[in-house]
Amino acid sequence: MENKSMAEKHLNADGSKISVKALKKSFGHLDVLKGMDVEIREGEVVCLIGPSGSGKSTFLRCLNRLEKTTEGTIIVDGYNLTDKSININKVRENIGMVFQHFNLFPNLTVIENIMLAPVELKKMTKEEARETGMKLLDRVGLAEKAEVYPSKLSGGQKQRVAIARALAMNPDIMLFDEPTSALDPEMVGEVLEVMKQLAADGMTMVVVTHEMGFAREVASRVIFMDEGYIVEEGTPQEILLNPKQPRTIDFLNKVL
Amino acid sequence: MSFMELIRENGVYLLSAMGKTLELTFLSLIFASVIGLLFGMLNVSKKKGLHLIANLYIDCIRGVPLVVLAFFVYFGIPLATGIRLSALVAGIIALSLNAGAYMAEIVRAGIQAVDKGQMEAARSLGLPYGTSMRKVILPQAIRTMIPSIINQFIITLKDTSILSVIGFPELVKAGQIVIARNFESFKMWVIIGIMYLVVITVLSKVARKLERRLSYGK
């Protein structure tokens, strides 16, 4: 694994960035994912939509093994996540994740939140990590908040810091788990703006979202999920404006 | 004899016994914290075996009175192994094992009180479990643990009195020795009671201050 060339290391054998085959996931007797096949190419922005309980978040959390899969394979960056012998920490370094509830570390200041992983994982010295962190904070428009604790930030600011923290390891892939669902409406825009920037910079993104506007504007592909299956997928045009499946139509009627 | 006379006559002796009590308490709590941290972490581990080991220890200690443990360490172990332990060492071992089990439960509860998302966020950055624990979870857990740790501190301080049974010259033993000489049971136990009361009140006041200082960013 270590001897792979850069190009090979960051793409799967079939040229995809993330390749999911026949993925099933159950919690006890509850089947949450009932067989999903998804292929995501480099630079794609994939939005997962669907009613709550449809398995969107679980699917996302399988992609960095926060949830262990029950059946099927997931290959990310050439690493088979269902293979227990891989070093999952190495894989995760390359996959940033942003959570609905931010999950900033309250015992650390904003800049320390961002510096923690690069310094602990010996990717950078403290000075380099601080410099990178300040650049990232600047990018999300929060450079002046570097030294404050997360409890002093608004929801939108917290989520922008969380994005900066995830970017600090310079990942190839970013996973977003309902990043704006816990925000007051007036703060949704600032977070989506940062995400749009990322997408424009060519980041591979998988986004679980209820923001149909964002999906329409930014997504290269929209996947509609219901009850653990992919019901329909396609361009935002196809899914959001001309859905074919009754369940998709029904869902979109409710949310739009 | 009046209270004043008793204090004048035995004050220095009683204070030095109080010093021994505090020494025993501090040393035991240091060891108990190490034991508690270790077994508390084992207890929250997802690995079944580790979890079982921690529970076995905690259940055993909680199921045995401290006096029995003290007798076992002081009289039992030397008989079985030939190693003589001083009353201080035996006392520290018994108290540490005892308080360690309760500290383990405090640590477990503290860790479990930290939001699950914290560990997930740390792990999603690629940090290993141990690093996430050390840098993210434990600093937050310790803050919620402080009131319980103070409580355990006070309990352990009071538990040192039980070690009078193995002849360690802590405050209660000292009191018994003085009373054997002057028969002033009533006044002497009042004095000793007040000494405990004062020390424990002062310590818990200091601890509350510390607790407030440790709350970050609020």
Side-chain angles (χ1 to χ4, degrees):
Chain A
M1 281 262 161
E2 295 299 325
N3 294 328
K4 281 184 167 183
S5 75
M6 284 301 282
E8 272 175 311
K9 192 183 165 195
H10 291 302
L11 287 181
N12 298 337
D14 57 4
S16 64
K17 195 77 184 148
I18 300 172
S19 167
V20 179
K21 294 215 167 77
L23 171 64
K24 289 187 185 174
K25 168 73 189 173
S26 35
F27 295 101
H29 293 298
L30 183 69
D31 298 331
V32 179
L33 302 177
K34 299 171 185 165
M36 292 186 57
D37 295 276
V38 182
E39 204 142 285
I40 296 170
R41 290 179 304 279
E42 187 157 34
E44 260 197 298
V45 177
V46 174
C47 282
L48 289 166
I49 62 169
S52 59
S54 57
K56 314 179 293 286
S57 288
T58 305
F59 171 74
L60 193 75
R61 290 161 59 84
C62 285
L63 296 182
N64 65 352
R65 216 208 259 168
L66 278 186
E67 303 290 354
K68 289 206 176 77
T69 54
T70 310
E71 260 180 64
T73 56
I74 301 177
I75 299 174
V76 179
D77 275 353
Y79 291 98
N80 183 351
L81 294 198
T82 40
D83 177 358
K84 281 210 172 98
S85 67
I86 61 160
N87 180 357
I88 189 66
N89 295 327
K90 262 273 164 290
V91 185
R92 283 173 177 159
E93 285 180 14
N94 207 28
I95 311 174
M97 187 164 199
V98 175
F99 299 86
Q100 179 176 3
H101 296 288
F102 330 125
N103 299 354
L104 292 179
F105 308 134
N107 54 317
L108 302 177
T109 62
V110 164
I111 189 74
E112 287 168 346
N113 261 274
I114 299 172
M115 289 164 61
L116 180 67
V119 172
E120 285 297 321
L121 296 170
K122 308 251 186 301
K123 286 262 151 164
M124 301 175 198
T125 65
K126 271 203 159 144
E127 293 68 35
E128 288 166 350
R130 181 171 290 273
E131 203 178 306
T132 313
M134 288 310 296
K135 272 186 202 145
L136 287 168
L137 278 178
D138 201 37
R139 196 162 145 195
V140 299
L142 289 169
E144 79 281 6
K145 299 287 186 191
E147 304 300 335
V148 308
Y149 283 93
S151 57
K152 294 270 190 272
L153 301 178
S154 73
Q157 290 172 332
K158 280 182 191 164
Q159 196 60 299
R160 285 188 281 156
V161 171
I163 293 172
R165 180 177 69 179
L167 289 173
M169 290 298 292
N170 197 20
D172 282 3
I173 301 170
M174 286 284 283
L175 308 177
F176 293 85
D177 190 2
E178 303 199 25
T180 58
S181 298
L183 296 177
D184 291 335
E186 76 269 24
M187 291 170 184
V188 170
E190 62 193 68
V191 172
L192 292 181
E193 203 45 55
V194 171
M195 291 169 63
K196 277 180 205 167
Q197 274 295 320
L198 263 182
D201 293 346
M203 178 67 77
T204 309
M205 292 163 65
V206 186
V207 187
V208 172
T209 188
H210 295 292
E211 294 294 330
M212 297 304 153
F214 175 82
R216 190 163 50 220
E217 205 179 319
V218 183
S220 38
R221 185 153 40 120
V222 175
I223 297 177
F224 173 71
M225 280 183 70
D226 194 17
E227 293 181 358
Y229 292 105
I230 293 176
V231 176
E232 196 170 356
E233 64 179 301
T235 63
Q237 283 284 335
E238 288 164 349
I239 303 300
L240 300 175
L241 301 178
N242 303 299
K244 305 265 182 317
Q245 299 291 328
R247 275 194 284 179
T248 318
I249 296 167
D250 189 45
F251 173 75
L252 289 172
N253 277 339
K254 278 182 196 145
V255 297
L256 289 178
Chain B
M1 273 196 275
S2 72
F3 274 106
M4 284 320 290
E5 279 171 321
L6 280 173
I7 289 169
R8 205 175 306 129
E9 218 167 83
N10 303 298
V12 175
Y13 179 59
L14 290 180
L15 279 179
S16 86
M18 180 48 116
K20 288 215 165 62
T21 292
L22 287 173
E23 183 189 354
L24 190 59
T25 309
F26 278 115
L27 289 173
S28 302
L29 270 170
I30 289 168
F31 291 120
S33 303
V34 176
I35 295 172
L37 196 59
L38 183 69
F39 282 90
M41 302 249 294
L42 291 185
N43 208 346
V44 294
S45 164
K46 289 237 164 64
K47 302 211 167 71
K48 264 254 157 64
L50 300 179
H51 179 79
L52 280 176
I53 292 170
N55 269 333
L56 187 68
Y57 164 67
I58 292 165
D59 287 346
C60 282
I61 294 295
R62 286 209 295 201
V64 175
L66 180 56
V67 191
V68 175
L69 192 61
F71 279 146
F72 175 76
V73 173
Y74 189 59
F75 298 114
I77 287 181
L79 199 65
T81 63
I83 304 166
R84 283 268 314 143
L85 299 171
S86 70
L88 176 66
V89 172
I92 288 174
I93 292 174
L95 271 181
S96 305
L97 286 175
N98 182 68
Y102 293 97
M103 288 290 252
E105 284 294 87
I106 292 170
V107 170
R108 178 192 58 75
I111 291 172
Q112 285 175 346
V114 176
D115 183 62
K116 237 178 63 211
Q118 293 288 309
M119 182 55 102
E120 288 182 351
R123 296 306 308 275
S124 77
L125 289 166
L127 294 170
Y129 179 84
T131 312
S132 309
M133 222 17 155
R134 194 161 44 81
K135 289 287 177 176
V136 175
I137 307 300
L138 285 178
Q140 295 181 59
I142 284 169
R143 207 171 64 110
T144 63
M145 279 155 49
I146 284 170
S148 310
I149 292 175
I150 296 164
N151 198 33
Q152 186 56 46
F153 187 96
I154 291 167
I155 291 170
T156 301
L157 178 58
K158 294 202 275 191
D159 278 352
T160 54
S161 62
I162 291 172
L163 298 179
S164 58
V165 298
I166 58 169
F168 182 75
E170 44 67 62
L171 191 52
V172 168
K173 185 74 193 166
Q176 287 172 334
I177 290 168
V178 172
I179 291 165
R181 219 163 41 218
N182 64 16
F183 305 109
E184 292 279 6
S185 248
F186 177 78
K187 286 173 187 162
M188 283 305 295
W189 289 126
V190 168
I191 291 170
I192 286 168
I194 289 172
M195 287 176 75
Y196 275 114
L197 190 65
V198 168
V199 169
I200 287 169
T201 309
V202 168
L203 282 176
S204 47
K205 283 264 180 326
V206 170
R208 294 253 175 276
K209 277 239 167 71
L210 184 76
E211 185 185 342
R212 235 168 286 145
R213 175 115 32 105
L214 277 173
S215 55
Y216 34 68
K218 292 263 162 90

